[in-house]
Amino acid sequence: MATQERKLPFGKIEPNSMKYFLSCGLGGIIACGPTHTAVTPLDLVKCRRQVDPKIYTSNISAWRSIFAKEGLRGVFFGWSPTFIGYSFQGAGKYGLYEYFKHLYGDTMFPETNRTLVFLGASASAEFFADMALCPLEAIKVRMQTTLPPYANNLREGWSRVVAKEGMASLYKGLYPLWARQIPYTMTKFATFEETVNQIYGYLGKPKESYGQLTQTGVSFLGGYIAGIFCAVVSHPADVMVSKLNADRKSGEGAMKAVSRIYGNIGFSGLWNGLPVRIVMLGTLTGFQWLIYDSFKVFLGLPTTGGH
């Protein structure tokens, strides 16, 4: 008896079609928005300790202190700009990555080394994705790093910034954000693709010979390893983004602010909060790839990497 073909939720999706890229963008939203929101407690403490290393003696003491004063809401403070901002970023990051990977690797430079394609595609995707993330990230950091809080929610923060400083002020951290996120995403995608290839090479059989559970498990492992590399590569810029959004003086140029802040914290200060960020990004990136590739499997598409 012939097996019945599984009915796909959106019908058959042709690889590298507009429907394919939009589907990947939707997968990016599902992968990034909820996962970044879930680690808000880690992000909250990380940002505050980056701005003021003496504010808490440890992460555990920080959460105890925040929970005692403000309850669960305080521990997840800043979740709304996190959820919306990283949903927008996820759509651009994953959807545009697939687009640029096809454009560079299959159309413009078909003979180019694949790692260079991964690096170029991820850098291009993140360049545009950060434009959507930047204003939400600016509000999130202000909310999380100022005590008492600059604003109590996204709507209040957005209205206050626009009324007092104008829309342009929401993009004052764009260059540092690019400096943090573009190397991060290049590391994330290229390391993931190469790690997945290495895992399947170690297993000794083509990806297609393994079941969906194994393939998505490989995606999680490859994502976790990629996340560790991402944390180390992007951490100094991450510290500087937090500092700039919390401690940039009115009318101060970006480079002047960076120079002043670096003079205050020094090289060692750029690494404040790294251990917690390694745990956060390793877990975060692993689950993002697991969710993203599981969504692709749900749509009847192959998982990422291992070709």
Side-chain angles (χ1 to χ4, degrees):
M1 183 190 301
T3 56
Q4 186 176 3
E5 186 176 347
R6 179 170 73 91
K7 186 177 180 180
L8 301 175
F10 301 128
K12 185 172 176 59
I13 300 173
E14 293 295 331
N16 302 321
S17 64
M18 182 56 67
K19 188 175 181 181
Y20 174 78
F21 298 133
L22 290 174
S23 299
C24 292
L26 178 58
I29 292 174
I30 296 169
C32 292
T35 51
H36 275 278
T37 305
V39 296
T40 297
L42 279 168
D43 189 41
L44 172 68
V45 173
K46 172 189 70 71
C47 287
R48 286 183 178 175
R49 295 187 76 183
Q50 285 174 342
V51 173
D52 182 5
K54 298 178 181 179
I55 189 171
Y56 304 119
T57 57
S58 69
N59 296 327
I60 300 298
S61 69
W63 291 319
R64 284 177 177 168
S65 174
I66 295 168
F67 186 79
K69 293 177 182 177
E70 307 169 57
L72 190 62
R73 179 182 179 276
V75 176
F76 278 88
F77 190 65
W79 74 267
S80 54
T82 298
F83 178 75
I84 296 173
Y86 282 94
S87 292
F88 285 161
Q89 189 217 33
K93 184 194 297 260
Y94 283 88
L96 289 176
Y97 173 71
E98 300 284 1
Y99 169 73
F100 284 118
K101 185 167 69 169
H102 169 63
L103 179 66
Y104 297 158
D106 300 331
T107 305
M108 296 178 64
F109 313 108
E111 304 301 322
T112 301
N113 178 277
R114 296 301 296 177
T115 301
L116 293 178
V117 172
F118 302 148
L119 291 169
S122 56
S124 299
E126 189 62 36
F127 178 85
F128 293 104
D130 285 346
M131 293 182 185
L133 170 64
C134 188
L136 283 307
E137 178 77 356
I139 293 172
K140 177 191 79 74
V141 171
R142 286 199 187 196
M143 287 173 60
Q144 291 181 333
T145 58
T146 53
L147 294 172
Y150 179 83
N152 291 310
N153 53 55
L154 171 59
R155 181 170 57 83
E156 182 183 328
W158 187 284
S159 300
R160 186 173 179 182
V161 171
V162 172
K164 290 189 173 183
E165 305 172 43
M167 278 290 295
S169 66
L170 292 172
Y171 286 89
K172 70 182 184 181
L174 182 58
Y175 292 159
L177 188 63
W178 276 333
R180 181 189 81 184
Q181 288 297 133
I182 290 178
Y184 166 88
T185 301
M186 292 171 71
T187 304
K188 173 179 178 175
F189 281 82
T191 303
F192 172 81
E193 296 262 15
E194 294 300 335
T195 300
V196 167
N197 286 340
Q198 290 293 325
I199 292 172
Y200 283 116
Y202 175 79
L203 293 175
K205 292 191 292 186
K207 180 177 79 170
E208 293 74 17
S209 65
Y210 295 98
Q212 295 174 354
L213 185 61
T214 300
Q215 290 188 35
T216 52
V218 170
S219 294
F220 175 78
L221 178 59
Y224 202 100
I225 293 170
I228 294 172
F229 283 92
C230 289
V232 176
V233 167
S234 63
H235 193 72
D238 182 64
V239 172
M240 192 57 70
V241 168
S242 295
K243 283 286 194 179
L244 278 170
N245 279 302
D247 188 33
R248 186 170 173 183
K249 298 177 180 178
S250 179
E252 186 178 34
M255 295 310 299
K256 185 176 180 180
V258 168
S259 178
R260 175 180 60 81
I261 291 169
Y262 182 79
N264 291 334
I265 66 174
F267 181 76
S268 62
L270 293 175
W271 301 97
N272 286 335
L274 179 59
V276 69
R277 194 159 185 261
I278 286 176
V279 174
M280 184 180 83
L281 287 185
T283 306
L284 187 74
T285 308
F287 276 105
Q288 282 180 356
W289 280 110
L290 175 63
I291 294 168
Y292 178 67
D293 274 349
S294 295
F295 181 71
K296 288 176 75 175
V297 168
F298 171 71
L299 296 182
L301 299 169
T303 57
T304 310
H307 301 298

